[in-house]
Amino acid sequence: MTSRPGAPSAADDRAQALETFVSTTDWAGTQTTALAGDASRRRYFRLTDPTSGRTAILMDAPPDAGEDVRPFLKVAAYLRNLSLSAPDIYAADEEQGFLILEDFGNDLYDQVCARDASLEPALYDAAVDVLVALAQAPAMEGLAEYGPLMSDLALSCYRWYAEPILGQAMGDACEEARSVLNPLLSALGPGQTTILRDYHAQNLLWLPDRGGPAKVGLLDFQDAMLGPVAYDLISLTTDARRDVPEAIQSRCMDRFVAGLGLNPSDFSRDAAICSVQRNLRILMIFGRMSLHFGKPHYVDLIPRVWGHLQRDLDHPELGDLAAIVRRHLPEPTQASLNILKAKCGTIPTLQ
């Protein structure tokens, strides 16, 4: 149904509801500035008190777009109980999907590193220390296990990456890959660690005035699950959006292994398996962002993801999977990427 001329739109109604929510909190009368969003349907604003200068972050997570702030609130409480820097919650309307959060500022990891590469060791050491703390803590109660989802998510890259480029159905090829990938994923064992699942430089903020792992401001953790201990570490080191220097990657691996007393050889294998699974999944996500959601700029990130995938497929215990993946999946040549962009927004269903 189309709105009558002059009738308020759903966007107008949402904006009015947001304004009403803010007016009922201690942040009434503050100035509002829109911030850059992420790959979700959430929107973010910075609230600034013109008198005191204090600031907060306003999150708009519309339930009718599939957003739900309750997992964010639960995971934030868990992280804060571990003395980690999840934002304090100043006000919440769970039903409408509105939150006012502590403002950690603008020093995202990727931006700090771009300004001063000499700070990278300190930033990444602190980020690893967060993961060591999570691995040593009792797992968060009530979380689902990631393991049963890992195979399907990884192999969805056949549907959203390979098939659109090659122009052919690849169901049989996908099942061939599954027969080799599943035993590797099973070897990771049951998920016993709280994993945040999107732990990378654009979701971490540098808080140098705090101590220890609390120097890392945490964002975008609402999809936390129970998973392999290596998962968030490889999310940090095989970053889809920035090139993490090899020396920093090695430093992170060594610090994590030492911090938890792990067997380096076993951990190297598990990390490679997690990285392959994650980067196959990201091929799917970035392809889908163009083909279904109409956001072709994600395609430009695919070559970096492909590079991570190829490096970890070189692990000696992943040889069979490497042979299958390299036979099935097309390299992200410029011609391949152009196909994904040319088909931008042409697949209306996620099924």
Side-chain angles (χ1 to χ4, degrees), residues 141-209:
E141 295 181 359
L143 293 182
E145 189 171 342
Y146 188 43
L149 306 178
M150 292 178 78
S151 180
D152 282 346
L153 287 172
L155 296 177
S156 292
C157 68
Y158 281 78
R159 164 80 170 89
W160 290 101
Y161 173 74
E163 289 186 3
I165 292 173
L166 298 175
Q168 62 187 50
M170 300 192 69
D172 291 343
C174 179
E175 292 310 307
E176 182 185 4
R178 190 186 307 276
S179 70
V180 178
L181 177 61
N182 281 359
L184 293 171
L185 296 175
S186 295
L188 296 172
Q192 299 179 334
T193 301
T194 304
I195 59 172
L196 306 185
R197 294 183 56 223
D198 212 8
Y199 194 77
H200 59 77
Q202 289 191 339
N203 282 337
L204 305 177
L205 283 146
W206 184 230
L207 307 174
D209 293 337

Side-chain angles (χ1 to χ4, degrees), residues 26 56 66 103 109 154 196 279 284:
D26 293 340
D103 186 358
Y109 261 49
L196 306 185
N279 285 297
M284 173 272 289

Side-chain angles (χ1 to χ4, degrees), residues 1 12 21 55 80-81 91-93 97 105 112 131 156 162 187 215 222 224 261 267 282 288 296 304 332 338:
M1 179 186 296
D12 292 334
F21 164 69
T55 63
R80 288 196 303 273
N81 284 338
D93 185 327
V112 174
L131 300 182
S156 292
K215 290 179 181 290
Q222 62 279 341
F267 184 76
I282 294 174
R288 188 176 66 180
R304 180 181 291 111
N338 287 344

Side-chain angles (χ1 to χ4, degrees), residues 18-339:
L18 189 63
E19 183 177 335
T20 300
F21 164 69
V22 174
S23 72
T24 65
T25 72
D26 293 340
W27 297 87
T30 54
Q31 297 171 346
T32 304
T33 305
L35 300 175
D38 53 24
S40 74
R41 291 180 171 86
R42 298 183 295 273
R43 297 188 301 157
Y44 298 91
F45 305 86
R46 174 167 280 120
L47 303 178
T48 304
D49 187 321
T51 302
S52 67
R54 66 179 182 145
T55 63
I57 299 299
L58 172 62
M59 179 195 295
D60 174 11
D64 60 2
E67 298 292 338
D68 184 355
V69 299
R70 291 171 297 180
F72 182 93
L73 295 172
K74 292 176 182 177
V75 180
Y78 167 79
L79 295 171
R80 288 196 303 273
N81 284 338
L82 297 179
S83 298
L84 300 175
S85 291
D88 286 333
I89 311 299
Y90 297 147
D93 185 327
E94 296 181 21
E95 184 175 342
Q96 293 196 90
F98 300 141
L99 299 178
I100 299 179
L101 314 171
E102 179 181 7
D103 186 358
F104 285 152
N106 297 312
D107 285 338
L108 287 167
Y109 261 49
D110 64 334
Q111 296 177 16
V112 174
C113 292
R115 291 197 305 264
D116 187 352
S118 71
L119 293 176
E120 274 187 301
L123 269 69
Y124 277 83
D125 282 356
V128 170
D129 291 346
V130 169
L131 300 182
V132 170
L134 280 172
Q136 291 175 333
M140 181 177 166
E141 295 181 359
L143 293 182
E145 189 171 342
Y146 188 43
L149 306 178
M150 292 178 78
S151 180
D152 282 346
L153 287 172
L155 296 177
S156 292
C157 68
Y158 281 78
R159 164 80 170 89
W160 290 101
Y161 173 74
E163 289 186 3
I165 292 173
L166 298 175
Q168 62 187 50
M170 300 192 69
D172 291 343
C174 179
E175 292 310 307
E176 182 185 4
R178 190 186 307 276
S179 70
V180 178
L181 177 61
N182 281 359
L184 293 171
L185 296 175
S186 295
L188 296 172
Q192 299 179 334
T193 301
T194 304
I195 59 172
L196 306 185
R197 294 183 56 223
D198 212 8
Y199 194 77
H200 59 77
Q202 289 191 339
N203 282 337
L204 305 177
L205 283 146
W206 184 230
L207 307 174
D209 293 337
R210 302 191 182 191
K215 290 179 181 290
V216 185
L218 303 173
L219 304 174
D220 204 10
F221 43 69
Q222 62 279 341
D223 294 326
M225 300 183 80
L226 299 180
V229 69
Y231 191 86
D232 278 347
L233 184 73
I234 60 89
S235 176
L236 178 69
T237 57
T238 60
D239 194 322
R241 293 169 176 81
R242 75 177 301 265
D243 295 319
V244 180
E246 288 188 14
I248 295 293
Q249 294 184 43
S250 297
R251 181 187 180 101
C252 290
M253 293 279 284
D254 292 345
R255 188 178 184 89
F256 190 76
V257 166
L260 294 175
L262 302 174
N263 178 287
S265 177
D266 291 345
F267 184 76
S268 173
R269 178 199 61 227
D270 291 353
I273 295 170
C274 287
S275 182
V276 167
Q277 186 277 338
R278 177 175 172 79
N279 285 297
L280 288 172
R281 170 178 166 264
I282 294 174
L283 287 180
M284 173 272 289
I285 291 173
F286 288 170
R288 188 176 66 180
M289 291 302 291
S290 177
L291 295 163
H292 175 74
F293 292 103
K295 298 181 178 181
H297 62 279
Y298 282 92
V299 172
D300 296 327
L301 300 173
I302 286 176
R304 180 181 291 111
V305 176
W306 183 264
H308 296 325
L309 175 63
Q310 297 307 312
R311 188 191 69 177
D312 286 301
L313 284 172
D314 285 338
H315 191 283
E317 296 191 42
L318 273 62
D320 290 345
L321 181 63
I324 290 173
V325 168
R326 287 167 175 160
R327 176 159 44 88
H328 291 168
L329 300 188
E331 292 187 28
T333 62
Q334 192 57 55
S336 296
L337 300 179
N338 287 344
I339 291 173

